[in-house]
Amino acid sequence: MSKNLNSRAHQATEEIFGILGVRPSGAQGDKVARAIEQVISKALKKGVERSTEAAMDACAADRGMADRVGEEIRTANKALIANLSAMS
C-alpha cells in the first residue's frame, strides 16, 4: 500500500459523500474518516482474535506452541496497524 490508513479513510469518505451527492460541512468529513479508521482497526483486531483462537485449537495438544503462535499473530497485527497508520 502506498497510502496510509488515514488517507484511505478520507478517500472512502469522499466516495461515500459522492455517492450520496452531498458535501460534508465543517468537520463532518474528518469525523466520518475517523469512524472508517476505527471500523477497519476493529475488523483487524477481530481477525486477530479469530486467528488466535484457531491457533489455540489447532495446537491444543501443545499449549506452549499455541501461546507462541497466538503471540506472533498479535504482534503481526500490531505491526500491520502501525504500518498502515504510518505509511505515506
Side-chain angles (χ1 to χ4, degrees):
M1 290 184 190
S2 61
K3 295 182 180 180
N4 67 26
L5 181 56
N6 184 269
S7 294
R8 290 187 182 276
H10 276 89
Q11 182 181 15
T13 299
E14 290 178 21
E15 290 177 23
I16 291 167
F17 281 115
I19 290 167
L20 296 174
V22 297
R23 298 298 328 148
S25 62
Q28 284 180 330
D30 289 335
K31 288 180 181 178
V32 171
R34 277 193 301 277
I36 291 170
E37 287 181 71
Q38 289 174 353
V39 167
I40 292 169
S41 180
K42 286 179 185 177
L44 289 170
K45 288 177 184 176
K46 188 63 174 175
V48 167
E49 289 173 14
R50 289 180 179 151
S51 297
T52 302
E53 287 175 20
M56 296 292 190
D57 291 343
C59 299
D62 185 346
R63 186 65 182 178
M65 176 65 79
D67 289 339
R68 287 190 297 276
V69 170
E71 186 58 34
E72 287 293 323
I73 292 168
R74 286 186 287 277
T75 299
N77 183 63
K78 288 177 187 174
L80 174 62
I81 291 173
N83 287 339
L84 286 172
S85 296
M87 291 175 85
S88 56

